[in-house]
Amino acid sequence: MSAPPRVLTVAGSDSGGGAGVQADLKTMLALGVHGMSVITAVTAQNSLGVQGAWELPVEAVRAQYRSVVDDIGVQAVKTGMLASAELVETVAELISGTDAPAVVDPVGVSKHGDALLAASALDSVRTRLLPAATVATPNLDEVAQLTGVRVESEEHMRRAAAAVLAYGPRWVVIKGGHLSGEAVDLLTDGSEEHWLRAPRHDNRHTHGTGCTLASAIASHLAKGRSVPEAVMAAKEYVTGAIAAGFALGGGIGPVDHGWALGGRGQAEAG
């Protein structure tokens, strides 16, 4: 049998399994692609927050990447937590030299507000990582962190998109999940615009949403879909995952990456 499309995540490990590399690989499996990973950092993390984080040496990150890409090959790459300026610059160089679309999730803070990117690395994200991105997927906090633009309504989202696009990604998804009302995202390349709307589900268990969306976009790009098609399909997948999110531990539980497969629901029914 021929191998499915291959997608590589370059991100941190979430020991609680809701975000990071663990969320990425679950998403890829659910969407029918072969997920592979480059671990950039290890976190001690649960439903209550991040208790510790340790970044890997640049040589370890580079070796993992070359090992996978040079032998197995990739149809898309997704980046998440990169922790330091040195890692950001290394990963930017690696994805720039890889002939595959790159989805950059410019992770700055965790769902609980824990910093996952050194302040000193922000300039490297702006000048090195974003220019290498096919699609960048910042949330509103990350937009403010990177550009200084604060989005408080839908009307501000165009200005935020223009500010991110100025750094060089081909497309940007401004994720409006932190606004009130409908869950609305703006996808644009500066000329073409797509407003993606979904009902807001009354569910606080949303850990891993950003990782999941970026991985779903990368998975659909690996299957040969256009950027608008990939983002729309990813939005549909993550909306279902949020609706099915479940309690875990004493804090914020994860989205359900397997919601479309019916596995958990069927197991409970059985």
Side-chain angles (χ1 to χ4, degrees), residues 179-223:
L179 296 175
S180 57
E182 273 188 311
V184 59
D185 303 325
L186 170 60
L187 167 68
T188 180
D189 63 354
S191 57
E192 188 179 326
E193 252 186 22
H194 300 270
W195 290 87
L196 310 176
R197 300 179 184 277
R200 184 175 296 277
H201 295 287
D202 183 20
N203 186 357
R204 67 190 288 261
H205 301 301
T206 56
H207 184 50
T209 308
C211 308
T212 300
L213 179 71
S215 293
I217 295 170
S219 297
H220 287 297
L221 289 175
K223 293 176 175 180

Side-chain angles (χ1 to χ4, degrees), residues 9-269:
T9 171
V10 184
S13 166
D14 171 4
S15 55
V21 163
Q22 287 81 353
D24 298 338
L25 294 175
K26 291 174 188 178
T27 299
M28 293 166 191
L29 179 66
L31 295 178
V33 301
H34 177 67
M36 305 170 293
S37 62
V38 171
I39 306 290
T40 60
V42 175
T43 68
Q45 188 173 167
N46 57 25
S47 70
L48 301 172
V50 180
Q51 292 80 42
W54 301 266
E55 66 187 74
L56 267 69
V58 163
E59 316 85 77
V61 170
R62 187 186 299 276
Q64 290 175 81
Y65 192 98
R66 290 264 61 94
S67 178
V68 170
V69 173
D70 294 348
D71 172 49
I72 300 171
V74 293
Q75 275 75 58
V77 181
K78 175 261 176 185
T79 73
M81 176 187 177
L82 299 181
S84 69
E86 195 178 14
L87 281 177
V88 169
E89 289 169 15
T90 299
V91 171
E93 174 197 329
L94 289 166
I95 63 175
S96 295
T98 302
D99 185 19
V103 180
V104 169
D105 185 14
V107 175
V109 295
S110 75
K111 180 72 67 181
H112 304 87
D114 302 292
L116 298 176
L117 181 73
S120 59
L122 284 172
D123 198 50
S124 298
V125 172
R126 296 182 191 107
T127 61
R128 301 289 298 279
L129 189 62
L130 288 176
T134 308
V135 188
T137 63
N139 63 30
L140 301 186
D141 290 339
E142 290 154 358
V143 166
Q145 198 177 33
L146 290 166
T147 70
V149 174
R150 300 204 169 273
V151 177
E152 291 165 0
S153 68
E154 273 188 40
E155 293 72 47
H156 297 160
M157 291 176 78
R158 276 198 186 97
R159 189 156 53 95
V164 176
L165 286 170
Y167 291 116
R170 281 178 43 208
W171 291 82
V172 63
V173 180
I174 302 295
K175 299 182 294 195
H178 293 179
L179 296 175
S180 57
E182 273 188 311
V184 59
D185 303 325
L186 170 60
L187 167 68
T188 180
D189 63 354
S191 57
E192 188 179 326
E193 252 186 22
H194 300 270
W195 290 87
L196 310 176
R197 300 179 184 277
R200 184 175 296 277
H201 295 287
D202 183 20
N203 186 357
R204 67 190 288 261
H205 301 301
T206 56
H207 184 50
T209 308
C211 308
T212 300
L213 179 71
S215 293
I217 295 170
S219 297
H220 287 297
L221 289 175
K223 293 176 175 180
R225 293 190 170 192
S226 68
V227 169
E229 289 171 339
V231 174
M232 288 175 201
K235 170 83 169 179
E236 184 179 340
Y237 170 74
V238 82
T239 299
I242 290 169
F246 51 91
L248 208 62
I252 299 171
V255 301
D256 185 354
H257 299 97
W259 71 272
L261 305 176
R264 202 167 67 90
Q266 287 174 1
E268 287 171 357

